[in-house]
Amino acid sequence: MNNNPIRKSYLVFGQPQIDDDCINEVTEVLKSNWIGTGPKVHAFELLFKDYKKRSYALALNSCTAGLHLALLGLGVKQGDEVLVPSMTFCATVNTVEHVGAKPVFLDCDLRTMNVTLEEIKKKITPKTKAIVIVHFAGRMVKETEAIAAFAKENDIYLIEDCAHAIETEINGKQAGCIGDIGLFSFYATKNITTAEGGMLITNHQSVAEKVKILALHGMSKDAWKRFSDEGYKHYEIEYPGFKYNMTDVAAAFGLAQFPKLDAYHQKRAVIWKKYQKELKNLPVVLPDEPDSNEIHAYHLFPLLLDTDKVNISRDQLLLALHQENIGTGVHYRAVHIQPFYVKKYNIAPSDCPNANYISDRTFSIPFSQYLTEQDADDVINALKKILL
């Protein structure tokens, strides 16, 4: 094997696309001297609300904050159970702990890595107050509409974790618009970024009003305006809230990037096709292609290492790619096998066998609109060098 690395410079996994438009928008905010929550945040909320055709869109400092506030806004509390995927980022589950409820772990489909209605029906109990589904890697949960109908029939709330799924649709319906609440992430690695940030959307007025207050210390509505040029306004504490608001600096990123959402999506679609073509003969399982009734957000390109055909483990492969100057990610090590949850709930790996299987084999390769064709070629050649 050639010991010289494929690349001279390191290809960072999930590098964001920051262009002059973004820099100029942020600079405008800095020059305005209003850098906290203000008019840019409001404009970003309106833009997102119109895009998703929801009654309310609330900008936050993270999708995690949104998950926490969604549970509180729906009244989930101690003694309740919340069904959550095991194949997800830990924030999806941690926030259930934060409100004092019990997470009940759902296994996933082995190919889509998404939850199924069948699994939900197995795990539901009289204590189930809410179901959280994750549209994994940008692929819609195929049965979202059926899950929503089942939840409604059983008087259970449905929360859609759309951290990977801004552009995602199925049967013409957008991710985040089928359940009671949809949550989105604008973290640095996401399809559009605000460096850190999130958005909560809903059609429920009471939920939106409570979330807006909880997100800024529990202060009365529009408390952020108390230092504006309209003159000082007193606030009142209506709940013991949190510091979850988005800033105008962050919103400026979103305002600059949002108009390019479709162009970015098209760029990633090209890379997706290239990877599917060039990697098909390697000892890996490629992600399924989207069906004709789906729009895939193309957020991640997760593969499964076929450990029966190679003599290295997934972690050894990650190290080998690192030595070729290729950054990688793991999406994810299942939450139900994480030490805190194993100890607290006495969970066994076999409780979610598909998620456990994926945990040992999954790895994600660089995949974003930032990648050049040469970057993609380097990833492909590095994998061929290591696995063939």
Side-chain angles (χ1 to χ4, degrees):
M1 180 182 290
N2 180 5
N3 290 325
N4 294 321
I6 290 291
R7 287 178 62 90
K8 291 182 179 179
S9 61
Y10 201 85
L11 181 59
V12 176
F13 179 84
Q15 190 164 336
Q17 180 88 38
I18 306 297
D19 58 17
D20 287 342
D21 290 339
C22 191
I23 293 168
N24 292 338
E25 189 79 32
V26 172
T27 302
E28 179 186 316
V29 171
L30 297 177
K31 288 180 177 179
S32 76
N33 292 323
W34 188 283
I35 61 175
T37 300
K40 294 292 185 182
V41 170
H42 184 60
F44 189 35
E45 289 174 334
L46 289 176
L47 196 65
F48 205 84
K49 178 172 74 75
D50 290 345
Y51 174 68
K52 287 294 181 179
K53 300 178 181 63
R54 296 286 91 182
S55 299
Y56 305 94
L58 303 172
L60 304 163
N61 64 9
S62 67
C63 185
T64 303
L67 286 160
H68 187 195
L69 294 178
L71 293 166
L72 291 172
L74 294 171
V76 178
K77 60 187 184 305
Q78 189 171 1
D80 293 332
E81 293 181 353
V82 179
L83 305 191
V84 289
S86 178
M87 185 47 57
T88 185
F89 184 56
C90 61
T92 312
V93 185
N94 289 349
T95 50
V96 177
E97 287 286 320
H98 295 334
V99 301
K102 178 185 177 181
V104 176
F105 290 98
L106 300 169
D107 203 6
C108 62
D109 177 74
L110 202 55
R111 294 298 302 132
T112 66
M113 305 186 191
N114 277 327
V115 301
T116 64
L117 178 57
E118 180 183 7
E119 177 70 0
I120 288 170
K121 288 180 176 179
K122 287 180 185 176
K123 300 291 178 69
I124 191 173
T125 76
K127 293 183 178 181
T128 304
K129 184 69 175 284
I131 302 166
V132 182
I133 61 173
V134 174
H135 303 303
F136 190 88
R139 183 188 307 277
M140 197 92 162
V141 173
K142 290 183 181 296
E143 298 171 293
T144 299
E145 291 180 88
I147 292 169
F150 175 77
K152 187 174 182 179
E153 288 169 8
N154 289 276
D155 198 25
I156 296 170
Y157 295 115
L158 177 62
I159 299 170
E160 295 179 69
D161 182 336
C162 310
H164 298 174
I166 294 175
E167 308 95 327
T168 303
E169 295 183 17
I170 194 165
N171 297 323
K173 295 189 177 181
Q174 294 179 295
C177 300
I178 298 175
D180 294 284
I181 296 176
L183 292 315
F184 298 83
S185 174
F186 309 121
Y187 178 64
T189 60
K190 295 302 189 286
N191 293 0
I192 61 170
T193 182
T194 60
E196 293 277 3
M199 191 76 72
L200 180 152
I201 63 172
T202 185
N203 276 346
H204 298 295
Q205 181 179 353
S206 60
V207 171
E209 289 178 348
K210 185 173 182 179
V211 165
K212 187 169 186 177
I213 292 169
L214 284 171
L216 191 58
H217 300 296
M219 293 192 292
S220 48
K221 185 178 179 182
D222 292 337
W224 63 269
K225 292 182 178 179
R226 66 193 186 280
F227 298 121
S228 72
D229 56 11
E230 297 176 12
Y232 185 83
K233 292 180 174 62
H234 289 291
Y235 61 84
E236 294 180 338
I237 301 300
E238 300 184 12
Y239 301 97
F242 306 90
K243 189 69 170 70
Y244 282 164
N245 57 302
M246 179 181 280
T247 68
D248 270 19
V249 175
F253 276 81
L255 289 170
Q257 293 201 356
F258 199 85
K260 301 175 184 180
L261 194 60
D262 288 343
Y264 288 168
H265 186 262
Q266 291 171 20
K267 285 184 179 181
R268 293 193 305 277
V270 171
I271 300 168
W272 173 282
K273 290 177 182 177
K274 185 180 185 73
Y275 279 164
Q276 290 281 13
K277 178 182 177 181
E278 297 294 334
L279 300 177
K280 63 183 179 181
N281 294 322
L282 296 183
V284 295
V285 179
L286 298 171
D288 280 1
E289 292 283 4
D291 293 335
S292 59
N293 66 333
E294 294 179 276
I295 294 177
H296 197 302
Y298 299 129
H299 173 55
L300 296 171
F301 198 90
L303 303 102
L304 296 180
L305 181 65
D306 190 340
T307 53
D308 293 332
K309 295 181 180 178
V310 293
N311 58 3
I312 62 172
S313 68
R314 184 272 313 280
D315 290 354
Q316 290 171 327
L317 173 60
L318 297 181
L319 177 59
L321 285 166
H322 171 69
Q323 291 170 340
E324 298 296 335
N325 285 327
I326 304 292
T328 54
V330 174
H331 301 89
Y332 295 99
R333 292 188 65 242
V335 185
H336 83 283
I337 62 172
Q338 299 296 335
F340 173 84
Y341 292 102
V342 170
K343 184 177 180 180
K344 183 170 183 178
Y345 297 111
N346 193 30
I347 303 170
S350 58
D351 288 346
C352 295
N354 288 347
N356 191 59
Y357 179 91
I358 292 166
S359 289
D360 292 337
R361 294 163 176 80
T362 190
F363 67 103
S364 298
I365 55 179
F367 183 61
S368 75
Q369 59 269 8
Y370 181 85
L371 263 64
T372 65
E373 189 166 341
Q374 184 60 58
D375 292 334
D377 285 336
D378 289 342
V379 174
I380 292 163
N381 291 332
L383 281 167
K384 288 180 176 179
K385 177 180 174 180
I386 296 164
L387 294 176
L388 291 181

